[in-house]
């Protein structure tokens, strides 16, 4: 017997996909569907971002800076869409959100393992984020693996070293799970790159775009949170907007920002 022909619905698993939105409010409340759809769409974009970030790291490991830049451009386009999508959720008023908020119980984007995976690849790693997930679960296994893996910044420093820049061994052999700290030695190298090495300066600019894009998402998310729940605590148990404010404006790659006043 031959397999049935592939169709739009069979290839994209449309029936399964459309069955995944299950509001918890009785009725259900009109706005809960939007809340579910937008979070699911974000999780799909997170999946794609991880796929592309892994690719950028591989291109750098393979000394393919142009391909790394090409993939970074795609990542930036996705980030722009992710930021723009917050506009849709901002059409939901505080009262509309209240119609179903208590149904979320302790659920929160705070518990998104894919968001933490993205942070890990970008160098924001915390063992606490791993422990929140049950042992041997998909999320825990993925986070444990990424905790041990070099970050995108580590791959970039190794690449610069192979390009002939004198990246100190202490940076090349650093413990990849600790946060990325500013370094005057790396800043000296980046200044040389910006002044005399257009190919790699372009690559640096795309990393700055990426850093700025993530900061933009954090800023827009906290503003949306402020206008929707004000100073109320988050469903995930944090202080809410006050907690989120602390994460805004922190650069992923501090050296790339530090050097700008010296250029
Ligand atoms: C009405 C809409 C939203 C509200 C009121 C809201 C509220 C919050 C709050 C209060 C927190 C802090 C943690 C906690 O819950 O205590 C948080 C964290 C978070 N939210 Fe949202 N959120 C909304 C929409 C979204 C959407 C659409 C996403 C997309 C996936 C998202 C992703 C996240 C992530 C990833 C965190 C963790 C941030 C971090 O720890 O740095 N949120 N959210």
């Amino acid at each position: 017997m031959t397999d049935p022909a592939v169709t739009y619905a069979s290839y994209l698993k449309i029936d399964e996909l459309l069955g995944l939105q299950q509001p918890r409010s009785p009725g259900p409340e009109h706005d809960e569907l939007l809340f579910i759809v937008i979070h699911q769409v974000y999780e799909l974009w997170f999946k794609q971002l991880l796929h592309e970030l892994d690719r950028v790291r591989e291109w750098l490991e393979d000394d393919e800076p142009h391909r790394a830049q090409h993939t970074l451009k795609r990542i930036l386009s996705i980030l722009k869409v992710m930021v723009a999508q917050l506009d849709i959720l901002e059409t939901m008023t505080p009262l509309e959100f209240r119609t179903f908020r208590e149904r979320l119980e302790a659920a929160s984007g705070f518990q998104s393992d894919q968001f933490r995976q993205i942070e890990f690849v970008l160098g924001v790693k915390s063992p606490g984020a791993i422990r929140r997930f049950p042992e041997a679960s998909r999320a825990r296994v993925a986070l444990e693996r990424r905790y041990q893996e070099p970050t995108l910044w580590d791959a970039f420093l190794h690449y610069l070293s192979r390009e002939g820049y004198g990246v100190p061994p202490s940076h090349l052999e650093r413990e990849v799970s600790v946060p990325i700290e500013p370094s005057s030695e790396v800043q000296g190298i980046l200044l040389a790159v910006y002044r005399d090495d257009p190919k790699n300066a372009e690559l640096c600019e795309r990393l700055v775009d990426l850093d700025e894009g993530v900061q933009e998402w954090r800023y827009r998310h906290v503003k949306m949170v402020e206008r929707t729940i004000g100073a109320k605590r988050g469903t995930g148990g944090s202080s809410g907007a006050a907690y989120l404010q602390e994460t805004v404006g922190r650069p992923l790659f501090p050296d790339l920002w530090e050097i700008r006043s010296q250029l």
Side-chain angles (χ1 to χ4, degrees):
M1 212 174 81
T2 53
D3 289 337
V6 176
T7 64
Y8 179 82
S10 71
Y11 180 62
L12 296 173
K13 309 270 182 242
I14 298 295
D15 287 348
E16 291 89 330
L17 187 64
L18 297 181
L20 293 175
Q21 297 72 43
Q22 294 166 10
R24 302 192 79 229
S25 55
E29 291 297 341
H30 180 83
D31 286 55
E32 191 177 355
L33 182 62
L34 172 66
F35 192 78
I36 293 172
V37 167
I38 206 139
H39 279 84
Q40 290 185 342
V41 168
Y42 268 110
E43 285 295 330
L44 290 175
W45 282 131
F46 289 163
K47 181 174 185 171
Q48 188 67 30
L49 273 188
L50 284 164
H51 189 59
E52 302 294 353
L53 284 167
D54 284 341
R55 188 49 160 259
V56 176
R57 210 176 38 188
E58 283 163 18
W59 287 135
L60 289 174
E61 285 162 3
D62 292 346
D63 297 319
E64 294 275 12
H66 291 110
R67 291 193 155 115
Q69 272 197 59
H70 175 71
T71 308
L72 276 166
K73 277 193 188 158
R74 179 178 295 169
I75 290 173
L76 299 172
S77 301
I78 296 172
L79 268 171
K80 293 235 171 288
V81 168
M82 284 173 53
V83 170
Q85 276 178 189
L86 290 174
D87 288 350
I88 309 173
L89 205 48
E90 280 185 341
T91 63
M92 185 177 67
T93 67
L95 287 177
E96 284 167 340
F97 185 41
R98 264 188 54 188
T99 60
F100 62 89
R101 188 184 188 214
E102 66 185 40
R103 303 276 162 183
L104 306 179
E105 298 178 11
S108 162
F110 191 67
Q111 297 151 351
S112 165
D113 72 276
Q114 290 203 106
F115 183 79
R116 298 297 166 214
Q117 288 189 53
I118 292 169
E119 286 192 322
F120 279 21
V121 180
L122 297 175
V124 184
K125 297 185 183 182
S126 96
I130 303 177
R131 286 195 294 268
R132 276 185 223 121
F133 298 94
E135 278 191 44
S137 61
R138 174 199 56 75
R140 175 98 171 222
V141 170
L143 281 166
E144 282 170 347
R145 175 172 61 80
R146 291 196 183 276
Y147 191 72
Q148 306 296 343
E149 275 178 3
T151 69
L152 185 58
W153 187 247
D154 291 303
F156 177 61
L157 290 185
H158 278 264
Y159 161 76
L160 283 182
S161 165
R162 290 190 303 277
E163 283 282 282
Y165 291 97
V167 181
S170 58
H171 287 68
L172 297 175
E173 290 148 20
R174 79 175 197 106
E175 176 51 63
V176 294
S177 60
V178 302
I180 296 163
E181 295 291 346
S183 150
S184 54
E185 289 129 315
V186 172
Q187 285 164 32
I189 290 168
L190 294 173
L191 284 169
V193 168
Y194 268 84
R195 287 177 183 141
D196 298 314
D197 183 352
K199 175 188 74 177
N200 288 319
E202 272 297 303
L203 190 53
C204 290
E205 284 297 279
R206 296 296 76 76
L207 290 174
V208 175
D209 287 341
L210 169 61
D211 196 335
E212 198 176 346
V214 173
Q215 291 187 51
E216 203 181 339
W217 186 85
R218 288 191 195 275
Y219 171 79
R220 283 295 313 277
H221 173 261
V222 72
K223 285 293 147 199
M224 180 188 64
V225 170
E226 282 172 3
R227 68 185 280 173
T228 311
I229 61 166
K232 290 180 197 163
R233 293 189 69 78
T235 46
S238 82
S239 57
Y243 154 74
L244 294 167
Q245 281 289 3
E246 287 167 26
T247 68
V248 174
R250 270 195 219 152
L252 298 166
F253 313 126
D255 291 326
L256 281 171
W257 296 89
E258 286 289 333
I259 58 162
R260 309 190 95 74
S261 43
Q262 296 169 57
L263 284 168

